[in-house]
Amino acid sequence: MVTVTVGMPTHQVSDRLYGVFFEDINLGADGGLNANMVNNYSFDGVYLDHHGLRVRGSQRWRAQSDPLRFWSFEGLSAVSCGMERRDGHGRPTPTDCPEPPVHPHSRYARLSVHDGHGVDSAPARLENLGYNGGGANVHACAMSVAVGHEYEFSAYLRPVAGACEMRVSVVDRYGLPLTDAVSFRCAARPEDDAVTPGEADGRVRRESDGWFALAAVLQGRGNEYGKLRIDLIRRDAGPIVCDLDCVTLMDADHWGKGDPKWRFGKLRRDLVETIAALRPAFIRFPGGCIVEGVTPGNEYQWKDTIGTLPARRQQYSMWGFRTPDGSSYSQSYQIGFYEYFCLCEDLNAKPLPTLFAGITCQSPYRDPKHIGIDSPYFQDVVVQDYLDLIDFANGDPETNEWARIRAEMGHPEPFGLDMIGIGNENYGADYVAKYDAIARAVHAKDPSILCVMSAGLFPFALPMRRTWEHARSVARVASAIGGSRSGSAGDAAPAADGDGGALGDKPETIVAAVGSATGDAIIVDEHSYHSPDWFIAQAHRFDDYPRCGAGVYFGEYSANGYFAGQPQRYDTACRWRSALAEAAFLTGCERNSDVVRMTSYAPLLAHIPGKGWEQNLIEFNPAHVNPTVNYEVQRLFATNVGSMAYECAASPEAPRQLFVSATGDEGSRRYVKLVNVGGSSVQVTLDVSLGLRALGAADGKPPVMRIETLHGRPEDKRSLAYTGTAQGGIRHETSEYRLSSSAAQVALAVKPYSVTVVTMG
């Protein structure tokens, strides 16, 4: 019999211990979190033109502007028009445009109906399949429709020549209707007054430069995947030409419906609700490697993602090379920084935006490019983006331009930004210097902002050494000056490089106050994608980390075996063995939550089958969501954690397969976690004698004990196909007891391959 003793409180648990990490990977934004089902909705598509690992430099990663991709045309021709497009490096370049677009950053499609078309016998139409993920489903419909649901349609339309009717509906793969149809008159002659509410099923609003904003609601009539069909029906014998832009179709029951702050990008409700069930204390966004990009010009530029939807400049995603077709992945930015901040607010999660630090992706085979730290671009663009983001998030709309944009978007109140990530998976002497330069500017603007420093990609001591030595020197300075708002790292302890030498001549670093978001002077972001065995062995990783004011953010992890060279296949991904290993590791994070301040699994979302990463927390297809077994562990840990860590130890005879931790709220509740990674049951006596009296003191009654257990076979998983609901999984059991006043010890049988949370209070 093993005794697990819960003792006295040891330290406060970070109130940001469990969060989520969102990156637009695996079609996680467009095709996922973005409620709009129309693929390449604004005819602005720009995609990756990837030339393999043997090609070096700028020729390997190039942008390919393909504004009409994912649209099919019958009986009409289409050309792309606009005032700018992305060049081969992803940078906007001017182009000629016959008439003004909806916004200078937006492109549109000019549609010309062929002679003799636009009638029943010879249709003129365009269609969009939605986000099917490519690969074997490249020709599959992907817009999920359900009977009784309403679907919001919107678009910008400009009549140029002739008169026609535009009819909108969703049809199945055979062309049979899945929704009713709505119609709009479209006429270029002033006497016909183009489109009017009295002559259309939908709503119409006149805009500038001849544009009309269209909006209508379609009623679902079937339960199937469909495609958007837009028919142009001829009303006279002349030529018919019109312009079309910003086409959206989404389930009307999207997240934030009716809230005026959600007036631009809309979110898919079931995905948001699944994330919300994790009760994340923070949300990191927008990544991930897309923060840095793979070539100059491909880095994530948050200013391109705000304002009205037509104002947002699209960018290709570097993750296109890992999609089934190796290319078709555009970031439309319908979900941008404003929407991420709003989502954080709705979920009561702190925002952790992470920005480009002047170095493109340093992962293997990426040919990283370094922007000169003394260059005007680094000072005027890279550094300034951090300062402007603080203004956008927290500034006063009455006095600040960026805050005024936030207010005009629907959120006059500040978002309460108090931490920011400087680069992603960056490392090396140049990164340390750039981190210092950016952190110095950030803290000069707002000393309370907590800066997160990258430790690179690999979770091993040698590659992380430079970052950690520098971070701890910053922490020592902060401690030496008593948490004041400025100081010189070089004056007290010069930062050391990987060989132990000084990094330059006494580099100055303005440090945040120790009373920052987590109480630390600096946070270091470690990442790991290793094997289940590695995560189990790392359960004591943080036991000996110095408690010096340099905290840990374990910002990307999953037990997928990537660093161990294990095959990355769907049938072996997200199995219970990996989730158990992550649970064992998290017990160590809880026990060491005085130095481990934040954790987040990655990636968060994955489209079936449009993904390039097999191990993901939440999978989805166009109609359904699959919280994986790894998700169940995250939910169990994140929703059962207290504000204090407590002594929790197993007796010496405990098998090495058992891992434990305990947290609670002082005097009212305890959460004891027991993780058994082995194939045999462990008989445990849970000794709570030190806290039992306090637990029952609130209402004078003996405490209630609730036991929640997840268990299964190591190979068990929950799978999702392109159609249908999730299949398989693990067992979930709960029980509840009222403890007697003398029941200081409780006997438990901890099941093989299980995670158990015992809640008392």
Side-chain angles (χ1 to χ4, degrees):
M1 179 71 73
V2 175
T3 300
V4 174
T5 304
V6 179
M8 302 300 292
T10 56
H11 60 265
Q12 284 192 326
V13 175
S14 168
D15 61 1
R16 306 183 187 205
L17 185 59
Y18 296 113
V20 295
F21 176 106
F22 178 79
E23 181 173 12
D24 187 4
I25 187 174
N26 305 314
L27 274 69
D30 291 338
L33 196 60
N34 177 12
N36 183 13
M37 297 185 287
V38 179
N39 197 346
N40 189 16
Y41 86 114
S42 64
F43 309 98
D44 286 347
V46 55
Y47 305 93
L48 174 65
D49 182 16
H50 183 246
H51 292 278
L53 298 180
R54 293 187 178 182
V55 179
R56 297 189 61 81
S58 61
Q59 297 306 309
R60 178 189 297 173
W61 310 93
R62 294 184 63 82
Q64 182 182 46
S65 183
D66 189 358
L68 303 180
R69 188 177 293 190
F70 298 115
W71 289 92
S72 64
F73 305 93
E74 180 182 359
L76 55 82
S77 58
V79 294
S80 172
C81 305
M83 298 175 66
E84 63 179 36
R85 69 190 303 167
R86 295 282 185 176
D87 66 10
H89 298 288
R91 296 178 294 233
T93 58
T95 59
D96 293 331
C97 186
E99 292 187 67
V102 176
H103 186 278
H105 295 171
S106 184
R107 299 186 68 81
Y108 59 89
R110 173 153 289 186
L111 309 175
S112 301
V113 177
H114 296 162
D115 291 344
H117 286 259
V119 295
D120 289 340
S121 59
R125 63 173 56 127
L126 60 159
E127 294 182 337
N128 191 287
L129 294 171
Y131 294 92
N132 55 33
N137 292 319
V138 67
H139 300 300
C141 296
M143 297 184 177
S144 177
V145 174
V147 172
H149 280 231
E150 294 184 337
Y151 298 88
E152 295 175 352
F153 169 82
S154 68
Y156 285 98
L157 176 70
R158 177 168 58 196
V160 177
C164 68
E165 175 185 320
M166 189 175 84
R167 183 176 298 166
V168 180
S169 63
V170 179
V171 300
D172 68 11
R173 57 180 174 163
Y174 303 110
L176 300 176
L178 292 175
T179 68
D180 56 4
V182 295
S183 298
F184 303 90
R185 275 189 67 189
C186 175
R189 293 173 297 185
E191 58 269 27
D192 289 336
D193 198 24
V195 285
T196 63
E199 297 175 329
D201 296 335
R203 294 182 292 110
V204 178
R205 184 180 70 249
R206 186 183 294 275
E207 302 288 336
S208 60
D209 297 319
W211 288 100
F212 291 85
L214 313 181
V217 174
L218 307 178
Q219 300 291 330
R221 295 168 52 181
N223 295 298
E224 185 59 88
Y225 290 173
K227 57 185 174 180
L228 177 66
R229 172 174 287 178
I230 300 176
D231 283 289
L232 298 180
I233 301 171
R234 185 176 294 276
R235 298 188 65 198
D236 60 28
I240 299 172
V241 180
C242 62
D243 297 332
L244 188 65
D245 196 5
C246 295
V247 182
T248 72
L249 180 73
M250 65 188 71
D251 194 312
D253 187 27
H254 49 72
W255 180 263
K257 182 177 177 62
D259 187 335
K261 77 182 180 187
W262 288 102
R263 62 187 64 177
F264 297 112
K266 308 294 196 306
L267 307 185
R268 180 172 156 175
R269 176 176 291 278
D270 57 355
L271 284 178
V272 175
E273 289 175 344
T274 306
I275 297 169
L278 292 170
R279 298 183 197 168
F282 67 90
I283 300 177
R284 174 173 170 172
F285 58 88
C289 290
I290 63 169
V291 167
E292 312 120 293
V294 285
T295 60
N298 182 233
E299 68 271 14
Y300 196 100
Q301 298 175 8
W302 70 266
K303 293 173 182 176
D304 283 350
T305 77
I306 61 172
T308 64
L309 295 186
R312 305 183 187 189
R313 288 189 174 105
Q314 294 201 23
Q315 175 65 283
Y316 76 88
S317 172
M318 59 164 287
W319 290 116
F321 82 102
R322 297 195 68 164
T323 55
D325 69 356
S327 171
S328 296
Y329 201 166
S330 182
Q331 299 174 90
S332 73
Y333 296 140
Q334 293 170 76
I335 308 301
F337 261 46
Y338 173 81
E339 285 76 21
Y340 292 136
F341 277 116
C342 287
L343 179 61
C344 290
E345 181 176 79
D346 285 0
L347 301 190
N348 196 29
K350 287 294 185 179
L352 175 53
T354 300
L355 302 187
F356 180 58
I359 307 171
T360 62
C361 187
Q362 292 179 273
S363 294
Y365 311 112
R366 298 283 167 83
D367 297 332
K369 302 297 186 294
H370 296 248
I371 293 173
I373 194 170
D374 296 324
S375 68
Y377 188 89
F378 182 81
Q379 297 298 326
D380 300 340
V381 178
V382 175
V383 176
Q384 193 62 42
D385 276 352
Y386 287 80
L387 308 184
D388 292 341
L389 179 62
I390 295 171
D391 284 333
F392 177 77
N394 295 345
D396 182 355
E398 298 296 324
T399 59
N400 182 267
E401 172 191 357
W402 293 105
R404 186 159 48 251
I405 293 173
R406 182 195 74 229
E408 291 170 351
M409 293 183 73
H411 202 288
E413 303 82 10
F415 283 118
L417 175 67
D418 62 7
M419 55 183 175
I420 199 163
I422 298 179
N424 170 75
E425 290 183 352
N426 294 133
Y427 59 89
D430 183 47
Y431 169 67
V432 171
K434 285 173 173 160
Y435 171 88
D436 277 350
I438 295 168
R440 184 182 305 119
V442 166
H443 291 148
K445 184 175 186 65
D446 185 345
S448 69
I449 296 285
L450 176 65
C451 290
V452 179
M453 185 179 190
S454 168
L457 173 62
F458 299 104
F460 312 119
L462 185 60
M464 295 193 304
R465 181 180 174 186
R466 186 192 303 268
T467 292
W468 269 114
E469 288 182 342
H470 187 76
R472 286 167 180 151
S473 74
V474 170
R476 286 195 297 270
V477 171
S479 177
I481 62 180
S484 70
R485 296 189 173 188
S486 65
S488 169
D491 292 342
D497 65 16
D499 298 318
L503 287 176
D505 298 325
K506 296 184 178 181
E508 287 190 352
T509 302
I510 298 178
V511 298
V514 175
S516 65
T518 62
D520 299 280
I522 188 173
I523 292 286
V524 174
D525 180 16
E526 296 187 6
H527 293 179
S528 179
Y529 296 103
H530 219 302
S531 67
D533 287 343
W534 184 90
F535 275 92
I536 292 169
Q538 294 294 309
H540 296 278
R541 176 184 182 89
F542 304 109
D543 291 359
D544 298 324
Y545 270 48
R547 273 59 174 168
C548 63
V552 177
Y553 168 35
F554 213 73
E556 289 189 43
Y557 71 90
S558 69
N560 62 18
Y562 187 73
F563 287 163
Q566 296 176 357
Q568 300 296 294
R569 301 192 307 266
Y570 185 67
D571 60 340
T572 59
C574 290
R575 300 204 294 189
W576 183 233
R577 173 65 173 171
S578 66
L580 276 174
E582 291 153 7
F585 178 78
L586 290 176
T587 63
C589 294
E590 287 197 354
R591 287 185 292 100
N592 291 285
S593 50
D594 54 338
V595 67
V596 180
R597 299 301 195 170
M598 301 187 294
T599 64
S600 53
Y601 183 105
L604 178 64
L605 299 177
H607 184 291
I608 300 292
K611 58 182 182 175
W613 198 260
E614 295 297 346
Q615 197 97 4
N616 305 283
L617 204 61
I618 301 167
E619 300 174 336
F620 59 90
N621 61 26
H624 301 286
V625 176
N626 172 32
T628 63
V629 295
N630 306 73
Y631 171 96
E632 298 301 340
V633 163
Q634 298 291 320
R635 180 197 59 79
L636 200 61
F637 270 72
T639 59
N640 293 280
V641 61
S643 60
M644 297 292 295
Y646 284 78
E647 295 171 344
C648 186
S651 52
E653 67 274 14
R656 297 181 66 181
Q657 69 196 55
L658 183 68
F659 298 85
V660 299
S661 64
T663 64
D665 300 316
E666 198 167 4
S668 62
R669 189 174 292 271
R670 301 288 184 273
Y671 304 96
V672 183
K673 298 187 174 80
L674 307 159
V675 179
N676 182 1
V677 300
S680 58
S681 177
V682 179
Q683 302 301 312
V684 167
T685 297
L686 183 60
D687 185 346
V688 294
S689 56
L690 288 177
L692 186 63
R693 182 175 300 176
L695 288 172
D699 57 7
K701 297 179 181 179
V704 171
M705 181 176 72
R706 185 176 188 271
I707 303 174
E708 186 172 2
T709 300
L710 304 173
H711 66 99
R713 299 169 301 173
E715 65 272 19
D716 286 345
K717 65 176 294 173
R718 187 183 292 143
S719 301
L720 185 69
Y722 181 63
T723 59
T725 58
Q727 303 296 315
I730 54 172
R731 297 188 65 181
H732 182 194
E733 299 174 357
T734 60
S735 56
E736 194 169 289
Y737 311 93
R738 174 75 69 175
L739 297 176
S740 69
S741 58
S742 59
Q745 295 182 334
V746 179
L748 299 171
V750 182
K751 295 178 181 295
Y753 305 120
S754 67
V755 179
T756 299
V757 174
V758 180
T759 305
M760 293 174 290

